[in-house]
Amino acid sequence: MHNASIQVEGLRVERLSSSARALLGFLQADGGPGAEARARALSPPAWEAVFALALKHNVAPLLQRALRAGNALAGLPEPVQARLEEARRATALDNLRNYGQFRQIARALHEKKIPLIALKGLHLAELVYRDISRRPMSDLDILLPQAQVEEAIAVLAALDYEREPSPPNGYEIKLNHRRLNILVEVHWTLGTQGEHYTPPIEDIWRSAQAAKLGDADALVMSPEFLLLHVCAHLANHHLFALDFRALCDIAEILRGHPALDWKLVIEQGRRHGWGRGVAVALLLARDHVGADVAEVVLTAIGDDTLVPERLADALEQLASFPEISYDLRFAPNLTALQSPIGWPAKIAMLWKRIFVPRAELAAIYGVSEHAASTNLYYAVRLRDLVRRYAAGARELSLSGPQLAANTARNARLARWINGA
């Protein structure tokens, strides 16, 4: 697979803009080989474009850190240096507020004896990056036992959070603070269960570790499940329609946990059907942001030959993230309908999307799982899903060449990651 990686490198990068290639080249821990010379070689307009892209990909503070480590920061135009520092300070202030809110949430849930696992940004910024000014987070993600979700929503309502008006999905509930513009995502599972993979929720709870986030007590995933979750979130859940921050997260987890149990990562990834997606995420992070991943790990967890053209699709999808519309970015089931998988498979996919397990339906709509009226909410769910994907379906029907290309790429990745 290493030879395939070398052969596909030109194919992967030729699809990227010069700004994307430059940005990825600087996102390694030390700015990459020859960072100082490469920084000075870029013109002021080129640096403006790289900085703008770094903002879109939520990696401006990480770009500043890498450039400083590579003694390359002084080679940037002064206005760009100033804007990078502004981005770092803004991230620090946003995260101070985020952790302040998390402290209130964690303490309130603890009083009700509701355990929580802090996910993604909350875990990463504090315990992995160890500098909350470096890792932006757009929301607060927490994992709760499904049986206690309804009670937790009531606790959050008392803290001034209200449900988002957008239709709910089958694995999380989103709540906005009425005054502070802070979004909390309450999860009871991690993404929609697919035909070829299942979120390992029981294993995650069993291996969770006690931690201090700010001055709040919480649980976090073990390093092995954190890595698996970040990789699967990127590959299996979002089909690489995320920003470059995801690759940086993978590299940072590996730098922060050199004693990672790779045997467990490989075993769990393969057991839960995440192998190919995790292998691709690790490979891209290794090749483009310097993640320390051994070849034997990629071979063991991938369990197949990684296709060069699909690797190129995955990197292009990452680079195109800011331009992919919101409705299509977060509607992989909708774009999957554009793929030639046959109508029986499409109908089965839609059926599973609508008729989620009764316990999940109850959690989504905040009703009792055992009430006789709960079955009526399947009709409500059908209505909500139609509304949710209406805008995306309209875009697909009116698609221009670029949108059609994005949709086709998404469908190719969906088939490949799921084993087709």
Short mmCIF file of all heavy atoms in Angstrom, two decimals, residues 132-166:
data_model
loop_
_atom_site.label_atom_id
_atom_site.label_comp_id
_atom_site.label_asym_id
_atom_site.label_seq_id
_atom_site.Cartn_x
_atom_site.Cartn_y
_atom_site.Cartn_z
N ILE A 132 -5.93 25.66 24.62
CA ILE A 132 -7.27 25.89 24.08
C ILE A 132 -7.31 27.02 23.05
O ILE A 132 -8.36 27.23 22.42
CB ILE A 132 -8.29 26.15 25.20
CG1 ILE A 132 -7.99 27.46 25.94
CG2 ILE A 132 -8.35 24.97 26.17
CD1 ILE A 132 -9.08 27.89 26.88
N SER A 133 -6.20 27.72 22.86
CA SER A 133 -6.16 28.75 21.83
C SER A 133 -5.84 28.17 20.46
O SER A 133 -5.86 28.90 19.46
CB SER A 133 -5.13 29.82 22.18
OG SER A 133 -3.80 29.34 22.01
N ARG A 134 -5.53 26.88 20.38
CA ARG A 134 -5.08 26.29 19.12
C ARG A 134 -6.14 25.50 18.39
O ARG A 134 -6.04 25.32 17.16
CB ARG A 134 -3.88 25.36 19.38
CG ARG A 134 -2.64 26.09 19.89
CD ARG A 134 -2.16 27.14 18.92
NE ARG A 134 -0.96 27.83 19.38
CZ ARG A 134 -0.43 28.87 18.77
NH1 ARG A 134 -0.99 29.35 17.67
NH2 ARG A 134 0.65 29.45 19.24
N ARG A 135 -7.16 25.02 19.10
CA ARG A 135 -8.12 24.12 18.46
C ARG A 135 -9.53 24.69 18.54
O ARG A 135 -10.22 24.56 19.55
CB ARG A 135 -8.06 22.75 19.14
CG ARG A 135 -8.44 21.57 18.24
CD ARG A 135 -9.93 21.50 17.99
NE ARG A 135 -10.33 20.30 17.25
CZ ARG A 135 -11.59 20.02 16.94
NH1 ARG A 135 -12.57 20.83 17.30
NH2 ARG A 135 -11.87 18.92 16.27
N PRO A 136 -9.99 25.35 17.45
CA PRO A 136 -11.37 25.89 17.46
C PRO A 136 -12.40 24.78 17.57
O PRO A 136 -12.19 23.66 17.09
CB PRO A 136 -11.49 26.61 16.10
CG PRO A 136 -10.08 26.80 15.64
CD PRO A 136 -9.30 25.64 16.19
N MET A 137 -13.53 25.07 18.22
CA MET A 137 -14.65 24.14 18.25
C MET A 137 -15.93 24.91 17.96
O MET A 137 -16.12 26.03 18.44
CB MET A 137 -14.72 23.39 19.57
CG MET A 137 -14.98 24.23 20.79
SD MET A 137 -15.07 23.25 22.33
CE MET A 137 -13.39 23.38 22.92
N SER A 138 -16.78 24.33 17.15
CA SER A 138 -18.00 25.02 16.74
C SER A 138 -19.17 24.71 17.66
O SER A 138 -20.18 25.42 17.64
CB SER A 138 -18.37 24.64 15.30
OG SER A 138 -18.45 23.23 15.17
N ASP A 139 -19.06 23.66 18.47
CA ASP A 139 -20.15 23.29 19.37
C ASP A 139 -19.60 22.44 20.50
O ASP A 139 -18.43 22.06 20.48
CB ASP A 139 -21.28 22.57 18.62
CG ASP A 139 -20.75 21.48 17.71
OD1 ASP A 139 -19.90 20.70 18.17
OD2 ASP A 139 -21.15 21.40 16.54
N LEU A 140 -20.44 22.13 21.46
CA LEU A 140 -20.07 21.27 22.58
C LEU A 140 -20.75 19.93 22.39
O LEU A 140 -21.98 19.84 22.44
CB LEU A 140 -20.50 21.91 23.91
CG LEU A 140 -20.12 23.38 24.13
CD1 LEU A 140 -20.55 23.82 25.53
CD2 LEU A 140 -18.64 23.60 23.94
N ASP A 141 -19.97 18.89 22.18
CA ASP A 141 -20.52 17.56 21.94
C ASP A 141 -20.36 16.72 23.20
O ASP A 141 -19.24 16.60 23.74
CB ASP A 141 -19.79 16.87 20.79
CG ASP A 141 -20.10 17.49 19.45
OD1 ASP A 141 -19.43 18.47 19.08
OD2 ASP A 141 -21.03 17.00 18.78
N ILE A 142 -21.45 16.11 23.64
CA ILE A 142 -21.41 15.24 24.80
C ILE A 142 -22.16 13.95 24.49
O ILE A 142 -23.14 13.95 23.76
CB ILE A 142 -21.98 15.90 26.07
CG1 ILE A 142 -23.42 16.34 25.85
CG2 ILE A 142 -21.12 17.08 26.50
CD1 ILE A 142 -24.09 16.93 27.11
N LEU A 143 -21.66 12.84 25.05
CA LEU A 143 -22.29 11.53 24.89
C LEU A 143 -22.93 11.14 26.22
O LEU A 143 -22.28 11.19 27.27
CB LEU A 143 -21.25 10.49 24.49
CG LEU A 143 -21.73 9.05 24.30
CD1 LEU A 143 -22.64 8.94 23.09
CD2 LEU A 143 -20.53 8.10 24.15
N LEU A 144 -24.21 10.76 26.18
CA LEU A 144 -24.96 10.40 27.37
C LEU A 144 -25.57 9.00 27.19
O LEU A 144 -25.79 8.55 26.06
CB LEU A 144 -26.09 11.40 27.62
CG LEU A 144 -25.72 12.88 27.73
CD1 LEU A 144 -26.99 13.71 27.88
CD2 LEU A 144 -24.80 13.11 28.90
N PRO A 145 -25.89 8.32 28.29
CA PRO A 145 -26.64 7.07 28.16
C PRO A 145 -28.01 7.35 27.54
O PRO A 145 -28.69 8.31 27.94
CB PRO A 145 -26.78 6.58 29.61
CG PRO A 145 -25.69 7.28 30.36
CD PRO A 145 -25.53 8.61 29.70
N GLN A 146 -28.40 6.54 26.60
CA GLN A 146 -29.65 6.81 25.89
C GLN A 146 -30.84 6.87 26.85
O GLN A 146 -31.74 7.70 26.68
CB GLN A 146 -29.89 5.73 24.84
CG GLN A 146 -31.13 5.99 24.00
CD GLN A 146 -31.21 5.06 22.81
OE1 GLN A 146 -30.20 4.52 22.37
NE2 GLN A 146 -32.41 4.85 22.29
N ALA A 147 -30.85 6.04 27.89
CA ALA A 147 -31.98 6.01 28.81
C ALA A 147 -32.13 7.31 29.60
O ALA A 147 -33.19 7.56 30.18
CB ALA A 147 -31.83 4.84 29.78
N GLN A 148 -31.08 8.15 29.63
CA GLN A 148 -31.13 9.37 30.43
C GLN A 148 -31.13 10.64 29.58
O GLN A 148 -31.00 11.74 30.11
CB GLN A 148 -29.94 9.39 31.41
CG GLN A 148 -30.03 8.31 32.47
CD GLN A 148 -28.83 8.32 33.41
OE1 GLN A 148 -27.77 7.81 33.07
NE2 GLN A 148 -29.01 8.91 34.58
N VAL A 149 -31.30 10.49 28.27
CA VAL A 149 -31.27 11.66 27.39
C VAL A 149 -32.42 12.61 27.72
O VAL A 149 -32.23 13.83 27.81
CB VAL A 149 -31.32 11.22 25.91
CG1 VAL A 149 -31.65 12.41 25.01
CG2 VAL A 149 -29.99 10.60 25.50
N GLU A 150 -33.62 12.05 27.89
CA GLU A 150 -34.78 12.92 28.15
C GLU A 150 -34.58 13.72 29.44
O GLU A 150 -34.87 14.93 29.49
CB GLU A 150 -36.04 12.06 28.25
CG GLU A 150 -37.33 12.87 28.34
CD GLU A 150 -38.56 11.98 28.35
OE1 GLU A 150 -38.44 10.78 28.02
OE2 GLU A 150 -39.64 12.50 28.69
N GLU A 151 -34.07 13.09 30.48
CA GLU A 151 -33.81 13.79 31.73
C GLU A 151 -32.73 14.86 31.54
O GLU A 151 -32.83 15.97 32.09
CB GLU A 151 -33.38 12.79 32.80
CG GLU A 151 -33.16 13.41 34.17
CD GLU A 151 -32.67 12.40 35.19
OE1 GLU A 151 -32.45 11.22 34.83
OE2 GLU A 151 -32.50 12.79 36.36
N ALA A 152 -31.71 14.55 30.75
CA ALA A 152 -30.64 15.50 30.50
C ALA A 152 -31.14 16.72 29.74
O ALA A 152 -30.70 17.85 30.01
CB ALA A 152 -29.51 14.83 29.71
N ILE A 153 -32.06 16.53 28.80
CA ILE A 153 -32.62 17.66 28.06
C ILE A 153 -33.33 18.62 29.02
O ILE A 153 -33.23 19.84 28.88
CB ILE A 153 -33.59 17.16 26.97
CG1 ILE A 153 -32.86 16.29 25.95
CG2 ILE A 153 -34.25 18.34 26.27
CD1 ILE A 153 -31.72 16.94 25.24
N ALA A 154 -34.02 18.05 30.00
CA ALA A 154 -34.68 18.90 31.00
C ALA A 154 -33.65 19.69 31.82
O ALA A 154 -33.86 20.86 32.16
CB ALA A 154 -35.55 18.05 31.92
N VAL A 155 -32.54 19.05 32.14
CA VAL A 155 -31.47 19.75 32.88
C VAL A 155 -30.92 20.89 32.05
O VAL A 155 -30.71 22.01 32.56
CB VAL A 155 -30.34 18.75 33.25
CG1 VAL A 155 -29.13 19.50 33.82
CG2 VAL A 155 -30.85 17.72 34.25
N LEU A 156 -30.70 20.66 30.78
CA LEU A 156 -30.17 21.70 29.90
C LEU A 156 -31.19 22.82 29.70
O LEU A 156 -30.81 24.00 29.58
CB LEU A 156 -29.78 21.10 28.55
CG LEU A 156 -28.50 20.25 28.58
CD1 LEU A 156 -28.38 19.41 27.32
CD2 LEU A 156 -27.28 21.13 28.75
N ALA A 157 -32.45 22.48 29.67
CA ALA A 157 -33.48 23.53 29.54
C ALA A 157 -33.43 24.48 30.73
O ALA A 157 -33.62 25.69 30.58
CB ALA A 157 -34.86 22.88 29.43
N ALA A 158 -33.15 23.94 31.93
CA ALA A 158 -33.03 24.78 33.11
C ALA A 158 -31.81 25.69 33.04
O ALA A 158 -31.73 26.71 33.75
CB ALA A 158 -32.97 23.91 34.36
N LEU A 159 -30.83 25.34 32.18
CA LEU A 159 -29.64 26.17 31.98
C LEU A 159 -29.81 27.11 30.79
O LEU A 159 -28.83 27.68 30.30
CB LEU A 159 -28.41 25.28 31.77
CG LEU A 159 -28.01 24.40 32.95
CD1 LEU A 159 -26.84 23.50 32.57
CD2 LEU A 159 -27.64 25.25 34.16
N ASP A 160 -31.02 27.25 30.31
CA ASP A 160 -31.36 28.19 29.24
C ASP A 160 -31.06 27.67 27.84
O ASP A 160 -30.85 28.45 26.91
CB ASP A 160 -30.66 29.54 29.44
CG ASP A 160 -31.63 30.71 29.33
OD1 ASP A 160 -32.84 30.46 29.28
OD2 ASP A 160 -31.17 31.86 29.27
N TYR A 161 -31.03 26.35 27.67
CA TYR A 161 -30.86 25.77 26.34
C TYR A 161 -32.22 25.31 25.81
O TYR A 161 -33.05 24.80 26.55
CB TYR A 161 -29.90 24.58 26.38
CG TYR A 161 -28.45 24.98 26.52
CD1 TYR A 161 -27.87 25.13 27.78
CD2 TYR A 161 -27.67 25.21 25.40
CE1 TYR A 161 -26.55 25.51 27.92
CE2 TYR A 161 -26.33 25.58 25.53
CZ TYR A 161 -25.79 25.74 26.79
OH TYR A 161 -24.47 26.11 26.92
N GLU A 162 -32.42 25.50 24.52
CA GLU A 162 -33.65 25.06 23.87
C GLU A 162 -33.32 24.29 22.60
O GLU A 162 -32.30 24.53 21.95
CB GLU A 162 -34.56 26.24 23.56
CG GLU A 162 -33.95 27.26 22.60
CD GLU A 162 -34.86 28.45 22.36
OE1 GLU A 162 -35.97 28.44 22.90
OE2 GLU A 162 -34.45 29.37 21.63
N ARG A 163 -34.19 23.37 22.24
CA ARG A 163 -33.96 22.56 21.05
C ARG A 163 -33.93 23.43 19.81
O ARG A 163 -34.69 24.37 19.66
CB ARG A 163 -35.05 21.51 20.89
CG ARG A 163 -35.00 20.41 21.93
CD ARG A 163 -35.91 19.28 21.50
NE ARG A 163 -36.07 18.28 22.55
CZ ARG A 163 -36.16 16.99 22.34
NH1 ARG A 163 -36.12 16.52 21.12
NH2 ARG A 163 -36.31 16.15 23.33
N GLU A 164 -33.05 23.05 18.89
CA GLU A 164 -33.02 23.72 17.59
C GLU A 164 -34.31 23.42 16.84
O GLU A 164 -34.84 22.31 16.92
CB GLU A 164 -31.83 23.23 16.76
CG GLU A 164 -30.59 24.07 16.89
CD GLU A 164 -29.66 23.86 15.70
OE1 GLU A 164 -29.76 22.81 15.03
OE2 GLU A 164 -28.84 24.74 15.44
N PRO A 165 -34.81 24.38 16.07
CA PRO A 165 -36.03 24.11 15.31
C PRO A 165 -35.82 23.16 14.13
O PRO A 165 -36.78 22.63 13.58
CB PRO A 165 -36.43 25.51 14.81
CG PRO A 165 -35.15 26.29 14.81
CD PRO A 165 -34.34 25.76 15.95
N SER A 166 -34.56 22.93 13.71
CA SER A 166 -34.33 22.05 12.58
C SER A 166 -34.72 20.61 12.92
O SER A 166 -34.63 20.20 14.08
CB SER A 166 -32.84 22.08 12.17
OG SER A 166 -32.04 21.68 13.25
#
